[in-house]
Amino acid sequence: MRTIVPALALAGLLAPAVAGSACADVAEFYRGKTVTVVNGGGSGGGSTVYTQVIAPILQRHMPGNPNFVIQYMPGAGGARAANYLYSAAAKDGTVLGRPLQEVAFFSLLGGPGLQYDAARFQYIGGAYTARSTISVMKQFTPVRTIEDAKRTEVIVAAGGKASQPYMHPTLANALLGTKFKLVMGYPGTGAMNIAMERGEVHGRAGSWNSFKGSKPYWVEQDLLANLVVIGLDREPDLPKVPLMTELITDPADRLLMEVVASTALFAHVWLAPPGVPADRVAALREAFAKTLNDPELIAQMKKRRAELDFISWRQLHDAVEKQLKVDKKSIERLRAILDL
């Protein structure tokens, strides 16, 4: 487990405190109510564990101790849930969102079917800084490094275009000159893992946390060759595996990859729709920060081999603002590479 937030530093990362009568008003509003957490992935997805473990502990830290229930709303790469939260969900603090990692990234790219503005969501906090890898099974390919993948074809599994298993190898082909051959149509990482074990494909891209959580013996028995990391910094478990951004020499290309890598902060983000009253949002932010530092949560996630990093609402807000400042020419090139 990584360090979360030292207790003495916690206050500096919280939203402004909800004090006095404002706190009493928030508690009165939430008492006896149910808060629905809309999860943009399916009930068996990797984000499920985080949502299921965090929700009951968050309930204890919330003024009024409302009941928390989870509603799964997969579809369209997470856009279905994000659209619902933005347009149709109640704006009183009784509906929260657990969208997929690319919620802000897709808002930046635009495209048909997107009906939300990521800058207007009210970010509560995040539970993990994701670092992804492109990894292959050593048993079925001689490829061991990203340089090898520039010389030898590597067959990788992918689902739809709105997913890391598609986007990351596609970007590597365009920006690094690798020879990843994508086999599309896998319904999820579970099916991709089976295909890797059978030798139908050599590997896949995805969260390093998902590899460790779903197939720990792959890691323990050194069955994987991890070719490259996609993230804001190197994966501590894989200190010798380079970041994709480190390998890109062209400044314009590096900017594109930095935009993609910035989605790492949103791996397990919690947010409220636009319009939720400020005092309730502040209470949610404070309760979330306390939850991420709760010893019970830390122990439960350690037992599940799931990493925790407290991401403040301010970090998320600033990351969205930075993404949305990327120039249109760069965004159009990114869209063209990804064929979105």
Side-chain angles (χ1 to χ4, degrees):
M1 296 294 290
R2 298 190 178 96
T3 301
I4 310 302
V5 185
L8 292 177
L10 181 59
L13 292 173
L14 297 177
V18 183
S21 61
C23 186
D25 290 344
V26 170
E28 183 61 29
F29 171 79
Y30 276 112
R31 190 168 292 112
K33 285 189 170 62
T34 294
V35 175
T36 300
V37 183
V38 178
N39 193 306
S43 58
S47 66
T48 301
V49 170
Y50 281 81
T51 311
Q52 290 177 341
V53 175
I54 288 173
I57 299 176
L58 180 60
Q59 175 185 356
R60 296 204 303 266
H61 289 290
M62 271 297 295
N65 305 119
N67 186 40
F68 279 76
V69 298
I70 303 169
Q71 179 182 354
Y72 297 98
M73 194 178 291
R80 181 184 174 213
N83 288 342
Y84 170 78
L85 289 161
Y86 190 83
S87 302
K91 306 299 190 293
D92 61 357
T94 60
V95 181
L96 304 178
R98 264 287 297 111
L100 298 189
Q101 181 171 335
E102 290 76 20
V103 60
F105 178 63
F106 288 147
S107 180
L108 173 67
L109 291 182
L114 295 182
Q115 301 165 12
Y116 65 91
D117 177 355
R120 294 193 61 211
F121 282 128
Q122 304 191 78
Y123 295 92
I124 296 167
Y128 176 55
T129 302
R131 299 165 187 87
S132 297
T133 65
I134 303 176
S135 302
V136 297
M137 295 289 282
K138 293 179 179 178
Q139 179 182 357
F140 299 114
T141 176
V143 170
R144 295 293 181 268
T145 67
I146 198 70
E147 291 299 317
D148 292 342
K150 295 178 182 180
R151 297 184 291 267
T152 303
E153 182 180 80
V154 181
I155 303 171
V156 293
K161 291 182 178 180
S163 66
Q164 291 184 17
Y166 167 79
M167 290 192 292
H168 293 169
T170 300
L171 285 162
N173 287 346
L175 304 180
L176 296 178
T178 50
K179 295 182 178 180
F180 291 112
K181 179 181 178 180
L182 279 72
V183 179
M184 306 289 289
Y186 287 91
T189 55
M192 296 179 202
N193 288 344
I194 292 172
M196 288 172 64
E197 290 180 320
R198 292 175 175 172
E200 295 172 8
V201 298
H202 299 140
R204 68 171 175 90
S207 163
W208 176 242
N209 208 24
S210 74
F211 280 110
K212 292 199 302 181
S214 62
K215 295 292 180 179
Y217 70 92
W218 285 5
V219 178
E220 293 162 2
Q221 297 180 22
D222 195 28
L223 302 182
L224 293 174
N226 304 295
L227 309 183
V228 71
V229 171
I230 299 92
L232 298 172
D233 53 10
R234 288 197 179 196
E235 169 54 51
D237 290 344
L238 309 169
K240 295 182 180 180
V241 181
L243 286 170
M244 194 181 294
T245 48
E246 295 173 343
L247 304 175
I248 299 171
T249 56
D250 182 87
D253 288 350
R254 190 182 301 115
L255 173 63
L256 297 183
M257 202 60 230
E258 287 173 352
V259 170
V260 175
S262 69
T263 65
L265 289 174
F266 296 84
H268 294 291
V269 65
W270 288 60
L271 53 79
V276 176
D279 59 343
R280 295 172 198 170
V281 173
L284 286 161
R285 288 169 173 168
E286 183 171 355
F288 188 84
K290 290 178 179 177
T291 298
L292 265 288
N293 282 268
D294 190 304
E296 181 181 342
L297 176 70
I298 294 170
Q300 287 196 38
M301 298 306 277
K302 184 176 183 180
K303 186 182 301 183
R304 291 167 171 78
R305 302 188 182 190
E307 300 287 357
L308 278 177
D309 290 309
F310 172 65
I311 314 299
S312 74
W313 69 271
R314 175 57 68 183
Q315 288 174 276
L316 296 166
H317 173 82
D318 291 349
V320 172
E321 284 201 337
K322 184 176 181 179
Q323 282 188 355
L324 296 180
K325 289 178 180 177
V326 178
D327 65 278
K328 291 184 179 180
K329 184 178 179 180
S330 297
I331 296 305
E332 286 306 314
R333 180 152 184 262
L334 191 54
R335 286 179 55 81
I337 290 172
L338 297 174
D339 193 27
L340 295 175

